[in-house]
């Protein structure tokens, strides 16, 4: 990832991202496909029984709406958000010490170091103080070491702080050993936001960056982000989350699931001035955060909420698709479930407690629309629940969603026009299509349903924390999926016997079997994970050889792959 | 995984299996029955008329009224004097000296239709009245079935007739007529129902009343054996009649 930075020099955007003419063509084709599919569903002549039809229409409306908006957002992106102000600020950003002749000679011989992490940073003609925060909460010590070491080595004079909510003496020792400042607070109120706010009461720099314990920043992190603050109305600069650990079904699925978001959607949201913070790999202007009263602590998705508060206060946000930190995607079902529950809850909170379309919000129409998309995004994760139930309704009760008077070929064309083209778009833009993504998108509905119910009932029902580092069986988190699998498998059996009696495969049976297989694949992944947890040593030995290249690979060829789903091509059925 | 979590998961799986069992019973019930698209109560009826044109001089009955075999129904005075010359004793009418012909009921029943009032003119061969025969009510049902399902209606198959007031009556298939439309068997079934009383159930058991008919299909699917066992068990413990 780290392009060796030989002193300040001209910089190019990492690579052209979204505006290949072929992307534009594909997006237009996809839009036509989506519209044709919507027209097919809404045609009154095709309406079937009211119950399954209502289920299909509500699920597909959410999917179609989000597909259309995300494609619009993709097309809205400008190729490079950097302007003259950025480049001018970047050119004079570092104040390099005058070297003595002897030092110069040493450098030429490869002796001594230039210590770019000591160079003072100036912005708008003034030397600025910068704090880098590494938030720690019980992460693996080696991971913390990697991140803190990388944070200290970031070019430009800065202070590195380890904000430890895990109250670990080992982390304290590690921070002292590496030369970072260590902060521990008495309470754990407000989770990560509370942790950062507490640190802000001690660290008084003009700008501060936040890194999760597993996101090691590149040395050029400040060099690439800080010049944006030359414009006085920028509140924060966000960079993508990139994952290096594509080793399990879960991490691969979770990572590729959201790559669309970081590579295409966030750059598009820039244009709407609605790119939001994702909690890590981000640098904030201190005065902006002070103006909105610190990081937002009343939500578990403090990142989105803080962005919303800043946008309401009239600040601008900036997102650059340049990879400047690589971290770990959730590897276990437990980590994945908790992460998704947290994000989905944050989204639904905006929808139900802070409607972006309310006249009381001080947002532009662009921002209202984008925050509405954010708030409703996780409904696309609930859509598969409705769609999974449609084939059983037909099998048991003969209730059909559509009254299909068209030929199967026509049906395939309509269906492929939406889902097929979405997959083609993903294939083209990502260069690959991962079955894990589809699986995760289809089986995660219990998490999102739980988030929705939590927000609607005002409860905070998460999975109980054991308080120990001992990993728990994934099956504790996926009981609904297990039950759905049993249900679908038995239903498939009934459907097959019915079809054998009637002498012909029906669409409902085909879909039901497909859904059973998808859930089954997920349960296989869960079983493997449970095995790994029960036999950690054997699994570790097996994992090491595959893991090392996976971590090394991104250094040569960064895979911008990431943490937040914003694209829902995965919902099937 | 804690034991409580395991038990919960096990409980969940068991309830899912039970749910599927219930749904399968529903499914088997559905596929073991064919439900009518349109069905109504019908009656055997006979039309009453005269072989010649004439003026209706007297109507002895009212619409809906009950008649016995041999009761007088209608007087017709023919316009053709030839009628006077007819002396055939076997005709269902008698001729008076002034030429008035009286039409008589040929079976017990109720008057369904009176088309010509007293003083009206009836042409030759016109139906002047219709009489529904007593105890001749049956149910006619139309069903669209797949060819496989059509083959599963056996002669004398049990049928349930549901009246508009949701009362169920038992019957059986007496005869079937079928024609094919777009590969589907459009079946017209005549259902004999015991206990259909004309104008019973506050008039609901009358000819023309719409009903719903569900005909039992011969069940030869995978689930029929276990379900029959289940049904037998339910009967033996008194859950089913």
């Amino acid at each position: 990832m780290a392009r060796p930075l030989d002193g300040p020099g001209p910089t190019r955007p990492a690579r052209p991202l979204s505006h290949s003419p072929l992307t534009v063509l594909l997006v237009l084709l996809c839009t036509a496909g989506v519209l044709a599919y919507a027209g097919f569903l809404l045609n009154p002549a095709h309406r079937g029984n009211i119950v399954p039809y209502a289920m299909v229409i509500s699920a597909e409306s959410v999917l179609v709406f989000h597909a259309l908006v995300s494609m619009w957002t993709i097309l809205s992106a400008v190729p490079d958000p950097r302007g003259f102000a950025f480049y001018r600020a970047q050119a004079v950003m570092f104040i390099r010490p005058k070297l003595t002749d002897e030092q110069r000679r040493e450098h030429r011989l490869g002796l001594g170091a230039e210590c770019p992490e000591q160079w003072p940073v100036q912005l708008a003609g003034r030397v600025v103080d910068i704090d880098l925060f590494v938030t720690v909460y019980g992460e693996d010590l080696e991971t913390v070491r990697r991140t803190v070491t990388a944070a200290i080595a970031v070019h430009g004079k800065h202070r590195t702080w380890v904000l430890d909510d895990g109250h670990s003496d080992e982390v304290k020792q590690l921070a002292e050993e590496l030369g970072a400042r260590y902060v521990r607070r008495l309470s754990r109120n407000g989770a990560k936001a509370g942790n950062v706010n507490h640190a802000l009461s001690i660290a008084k720099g003009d700008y501060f960056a936040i890194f999760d314990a597993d996101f090691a920043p590149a040395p050029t992190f400040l060099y690439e982000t800080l010049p944006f603050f030359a414009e006085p109305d920028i509140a924060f600069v966000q960079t993508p989350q990139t994952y290096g650990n594509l080793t399990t079904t879960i991490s691969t699925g979770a990572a590729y699931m959201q790559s669309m978001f970081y590579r295409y959607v966030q750059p598009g949201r820039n244009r709407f001035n609605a790119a939001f913070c994702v909690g890590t790999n981000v640098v904030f202007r201190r005065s902006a955060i002070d103006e909105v009263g610190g990081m937002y602590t009343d939500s578990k998705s403090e990142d989105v909420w803080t962005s919303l508060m800043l946008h309401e206060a009239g600040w601008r946000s900036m997102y650059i698709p340049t990879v400047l930190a690589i971290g770990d995607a959730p590897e276990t079902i437990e980590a994945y479930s908790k992460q998704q529950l947290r994000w989905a809850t944050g989204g639904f909170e905006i929808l139900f407690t802070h409607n972006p379309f309310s006249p009381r919000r001080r947002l532009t129409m662009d921002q209202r629309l984008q925050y509405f998309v954010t708030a409703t995004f996780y409904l696309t994760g609930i859509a598969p629940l409705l769609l999974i139930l449609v084939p059983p309704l037909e099998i048991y009760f003969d209730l059909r969603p559509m009254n299909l008077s068209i030929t199967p070929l026509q049906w395939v064309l309509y269906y492929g026009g939406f889902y097929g083209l979405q997959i083609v778009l993903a294939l083209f833009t990502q260069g690959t299509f991962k079955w894990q993504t589809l699986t995760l998108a289809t089986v995660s509905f219990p998490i999102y349903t739980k988030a929705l119910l939590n927000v609607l009932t005002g409860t905070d029902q998460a999975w109980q924390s054991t308080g120990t580092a001992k990993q728990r069986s994934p099956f504790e988190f996926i009981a609904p999926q297990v039950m759905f699998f049993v249900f679908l498998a038995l239903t498939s059996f009934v459907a097959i016997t019915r079809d054998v009696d009637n002498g012909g495969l029906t669409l409902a049976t085909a879909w039901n079997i497909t859904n059973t297989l998808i859930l089954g694949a997920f349960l296989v992944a869960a079983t493997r994970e449970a095995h790994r947890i029960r036999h950690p040593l054997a699994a570790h030995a097996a994992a090491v050889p595959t893991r090392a290249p996976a971590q090394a690979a991104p250094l040569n060829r960064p895979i911008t792959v990431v943490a937040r789903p914003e694209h829902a091509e995965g919902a099937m059925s | 995984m804690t034991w409580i979590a395991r038990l919960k998961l096990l409980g969940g799986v068991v309830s899912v299996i039970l749910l599927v069992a219930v749904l399968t019973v529903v499914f088997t019930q559905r596929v073991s029955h064919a439900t009518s698209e349109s069905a109504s109560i019908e009656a055997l009826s006979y039309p009453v008329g005269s072989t010649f044109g004439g003026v209706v001089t007297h109507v002895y009955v009212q619409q809906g009224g009950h008649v016995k075999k041999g009761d007088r129904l209608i007087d017709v005075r023919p316009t053709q004097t030839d009628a006077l010359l007819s002396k055939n004793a076997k005709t269902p009418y008698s001729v008076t000296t002034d030429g008035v012909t009286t039409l008589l009921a040929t079976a017990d029943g109720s008057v369904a239709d009176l088309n010509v009032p007293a003083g009206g003119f009836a042409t030759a061969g016109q139906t002047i009245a219709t009489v529904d025969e007593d105890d001749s009510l049956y149910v006619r049902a139309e069903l669209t079935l797949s060819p496989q399902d059509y083959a599963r209606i056996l002669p004398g198959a049990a049928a349930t007739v549901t009246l508009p007031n949701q009362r169920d009556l038992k019957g059986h298939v007496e005869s079937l007529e079928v024609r094919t439309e777009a590969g589907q068997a459009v079946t017209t079934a005549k259902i004999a129902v015991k206990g259909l009383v004309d104008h019973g159930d506050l008039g609901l058991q009358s000819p023309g009343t719409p009903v719903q008919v569900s005909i039992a299909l011969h069940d030869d699917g995978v689930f029929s054996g276990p379900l029959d066992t289940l049904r037998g068990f339910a009967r033996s413990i008194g859950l089913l009649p």
Side-chain angles (χ1 to χ4, degrees):
Chain A
M1 87 199 120
R3 187 165 64 245
L5 184 71
D6 191 19
T11 173
R12 290 162 286 106
R15 61 200 142 131
L17 279 163
S18 47
H19 282 79
S20 143
L22 208 48
T23 310
V24 176
L25 176 68
L26 267 178
V27 166
L28 289 178
L29 278 178
C30 284
T31 308
V34 169
L35 292 178
Y37 183 64
F40 160 70
L41 286 182
L42 292 173
N43 184 342
H46 296 157
R47 190 166 60 81
N49 287 100
I50 186 73
V51 171
Y53 181 72
M55 286 164 66
V56 166
I57 290 297
S58 19
E60 298 283 4
S61 312
V62 171
L63 297 179
V64 161
F65 170 77
H66 278 275
L68 283 177
V69 174
S70 72
M71 287 190 291
W72 175 37
T73 309
I74 289 170
L75 280 194
S76 305
V78 287
D80 186 1
R82 298 167 181 85
F84 174 71
F86 173 89
Y87 287 111
R88 196 176 64 158
Q90 198 182 43
V92 298
M93 182 176 156
F94 292 129
I95 304 170
R96 301 179 68 174
K98 293 231 158 45
L99 298 178
T100 61
D101 286 347
E102 191 185 350
Q103 279 170 323
R104 249 185 260 276
R105 213 173 304 122
E106 278 177 0
H107 286 154
R108 221 173 289 133
L109 294 169
L111 300 168
E114 239 190 326
C115 296
E117 70 276 4
Q118 297 296 339
W119 294 340
V121 176
Q122 66 173 351
L123 206 58
R126 196 173 69 83
V127 174
V128 294
D129 292 332
I130 301 157
D131 297 305
L132 298 194
F133 296 154
V134 177
T135 55
V136 179
Y137 186 46
E139 281 85 355
D140 176 49
L141 211 60
E142 271 316 297
T143 312
V144 178
R145 177 189 291 275
R146 181 168 60 96
T147 304
V148 174
T149 311
I152 290 172
V154 168
H155 294 180
K157 192 177 173 199
H158 64 274
R159 290 170 295 190
T160 305
W161 304 73
V162 176
L163 316 183
D164 184 18
D165 255 7
H167 296 195
S168 154
D169 289 333
E170 287 156 332
V171 172
K172 186 177 180 188
Q173 231 173 359
L174 179 78
E176 277 167 13
E177 176 198 328
L178 297 173
R181 292 157 201 243
Y182 180 85
V183 183
R184 181 190 294 187
R185 57 186 180 139
L186 293 174
S187 72
R188 280 174 191 157
N189 294 340
K192 191 167 136 191
N195 198 3
V196 171
N197 281 341
H198 175 253
L200 285 177
S201 65
I202 306 166
K204 299 290 187 188
D206 302 300
Y207 300 93
F208 66 93
I210 304 174
F211 298 99
D212 282 351
D214 55 349
F215 273 98
T220 52
F221 180 81
L222 291 174
Y223 182 69
E224 295 283 4
T225 56
L226 215 62
F228 281 108
F229 290 106
E231 292 181 58
D233 55 350
I234 296 279
F236 64 85
V237 180
Q238 175 70 50
T239 72
Q241 295 187 22
T242 302
Y243 293 151
N245 61 331
L246 309 181
T247 50
T248 68
T249 306
I250 304 301
S251 61
T252 311
Y256 278 93
M257 198 178 200
Q258 299 112 12
S259 44
M260 213 61 169
F261 175 70
Y262 282 93
R263 282 176 70 173
Y264 295 97
V265 175
Q266 278 275 60
R269 291 178 71 114
N270 247 349
R271 183 91 180 278
F272 292 77
N273 188 23
F276 61 76
C277 162
V278 295
T280 179
N281 315 346
V282 58
V283 52
F284 282 100
R285 184 193 294 272
R286 173 70 188 249
S287 56
I289 287 295
D290 284 347
E291 191 185 311
V292 296
M295 303 295 281
Y296 190 85
T297 50
D298 290 344
S299 166
K300 289 191 174 167
S301 278
E302 80 292 335
D303 38 19
V304 179
W305 275 90
T306 305
S307 315
L308 181 55
M309 294 300 140
L310 287 168
H311 282 135
E312 282 186 20
W315 289 92
R316 277 176 64 209
S317 60
M318 181 54 65
Y319 173 83
I320 48 167
T322 315
V323 176
L324 294 169
I326 288 180
D328 292 334
E331 271 182 12
T332 62
I333 287 170
E334 175 179 359
Y336 172 78
S337 301
K338 286 180 171 169
Q339 176 201 52
Q340 293 294 312
L341 183 73
R342 198 165 60 76
W343 287 345
T345 308
F348 289 137
E349 277 169 353
I350 294 179
L351 184 63
F352 292 108
T353 65
H354 203 85
N355 180 1
F357 282 115
S358 158
R360 276 177 299 172
R361 315 276 167 259
R362 295 216 326 265
L363 292 170
T364 64
M365 207 57 203
D366 287 346
Q367 290 170 328
R368 285 171 201 267
L369 186 94
Q370 286 294 350
Y371 274 105
F372 180 73
V373 169
T374 306
T376 55
F377 175 71
Y378 286 96
L379 290 177
T380 60
I382 298 180
L385 168 64
L386 295 178
L387 296 177
I388 277 178
L389 289 175
V390 169
L393 271 181
E394 180 172 338
I395 290 162
Y396 289 121
F397 302 113
D398 200 30
L399 297 172
R400 288 153 204 275
M402 307 305 286
N403 176 19
L404 288 180
S405 52
I406 57 173
T407 66
L409 183 68
Q410 275 174 303
W411 182 85
V412 165
L413 280 179
Y414 279 123
Y415 201 82
F418 181 22
Y419 287 105
L421 276 178
Q422 293 286 326
I423 291 178
V424 170
L425 183 65
L427 251 176
F428 175 72
T429 52
Q430 318 275 10
T432 167
F433 182 76
K434 297 277 175 182
W435 63 270
Q436 291 97 331
T437 306
L438 214 61
T439 306
L440 270 195
T442 313
V443 304
S444 300
F445 59 87
I447 306 172
Y448 305 130
T449 312
K450 187 175 182 148
L452 182 63
L453 292 179
N454 278 356
V455 172
L456 284 180
T457 57
T459 53
D460 179 14
Q461 205 217 349
W463 288 279
Q464 302 94 325
S465 173
T466 49
T468 62
K470 187 173 170 285
Q471 274 190 304
R472 297 158 73 190
S473 163
F475 287 98
E476 284 187 53
F477 303 93
I478 57 165
Q481 284 93 331
V482 173
M483 286 186 247
F484 263 89
F485 173 73
V486 173
F487 176 71
L488 291 183
L490 293 174
T491 305
S492 295
F493 174 69
V494 173
I496 290 170
T497 59
R498 176 192 74 158
D499 283 4
V500 168
D501 273 357
N502 292 347
L505 182 76
T506 60
L507 206 56
T509 310
W511 271 132
N512 205 66
I513 294 172
T514 308
N515 293 339
T516 311
L517 292 179
I518 291 173
L519 270 166
F522 179 65
L523 293 189
V524 168
T527 312
R528 277 205 206 116
E529 186 184 316
H531 182 81
R532 263 201 307 279
I533 290 171
R534 270 201 311 276
H535 310 281
L537 286 176
H540 187 67
V544 165
T546 56
R547 199 190 152 91
Q551 273 180 329
L555 296 174
N556 308 324
R557 188 178 61 85
I559 320 162
T560 317
V561 175
V562 250
R564 187 165 291 238
E566 185 77 12
H567 196 71
E569 78 271 356
M572 290 198 59
S573 168
Chain B
M1 208 169 176
T2 62
W3 276 106
I4 292 182
R6 274 177 215 197
L7 283 179
K8 272 187 190 166
L9 188 60
L10 186 70
V13 169
V14 168
S15 19
V16 166
I17 292 174
L18 286 179
L19 176 72
V20 170
V22 170
L23 288 174
T24 309
V25 171
V26 171
F27 163 74
T28 320
Q29 280 300 110
R30 181 170 62 72
V31 298
S32 69
H33 285 85
T35 308
S36 62
E37 270 143 32
S38 159
S40 63
I41 298 179
E42 305 280 328
L44 289 179
S45 59
Y46 57 89
V48 178
S50 83
T51 49
F52 43 80
V55 175
V56 175
T57 52
H58 197 273
V59 177
Y60 296 92
V61 293
Q62 286 182 326
Q63 183 149 357
H66 194 260
V67 292
K68 285 204 159 23
K69 185 177 178 179
D71 280 1
R72 290 184 295 183
L73 300 175
I74 291 156
D75 284 350
V76 183
R77 192 170 62 208
T79 45
Q80 292 169 309
T81 47
D82 315 2
L84 292 168
L85 303 171
S86 170
K87 294 285 189 206
N88 192 340
K90 282 190 176 173
T91 51
Y93 50 79
S94 62
V95 183
T96 53
T97 45
D98 58 355
V100 171
T101 306
T102 303
L103 306 178
L104 306 177
T106 53
D108 294 359
S110 52
V111 180
D113 265 325
L114 272 176
N115 300 330
V116 186
F121 179 80
T123 57
Q126 183 188 349
T127 302
I128 304 172
T130 311
V131 178
D132 287 343
E133 273 183 58
D134 276 355
D135 299 326
S136 70
L137 294 182
Y138 68 96
V139 172
R140 224 173 72 99
E142 274 194 21
L143 313 92
T144 305
L145 301 170
S146 65
Q148 288 88 353
D149 281 353
Y150 178 69
R152 290 167 62 204
I153 302 187
L154 300 185
T160 308
V161 174
T162 310
L163 296 174
N165 64 357
Q166 300 303 312
R167 236 193 84 193
D168 284 347
L169 297 170
K170 298 274 169 214
H172 64 269
V173 175
E174 205 170 75
S175 66
L176 285 175
E177 281 169 44
V178 70
R179 70 196 151 82
T180 303
E181 249 178 42
Q184 297 288 87
V186 180
T187 313
T188 308
K190 186 177 173 188
I191 316 279
V193 184
K194 271 194 191 141
L196 264 186
V197 182
D198 203 355
H199 293 89
D201 255 330
L202 299 168
L204 281 177
Q205 295 181 23
S206 312
T209 305
V211 293
Q212 218 181 21
V213 175
S214 154
I215 298 175
L217 301 178
H218 175 62
D219 195 353
D220 50 4
V222 178
F223 301 108
S224 59
L227 275 171
D228 283 345
T229 315
L230 202 67
R231 255 183 235 123
F233 175 72
R235 267 194 207 100
S236 70
I237 61 170
L239 272 177
L240 281 177

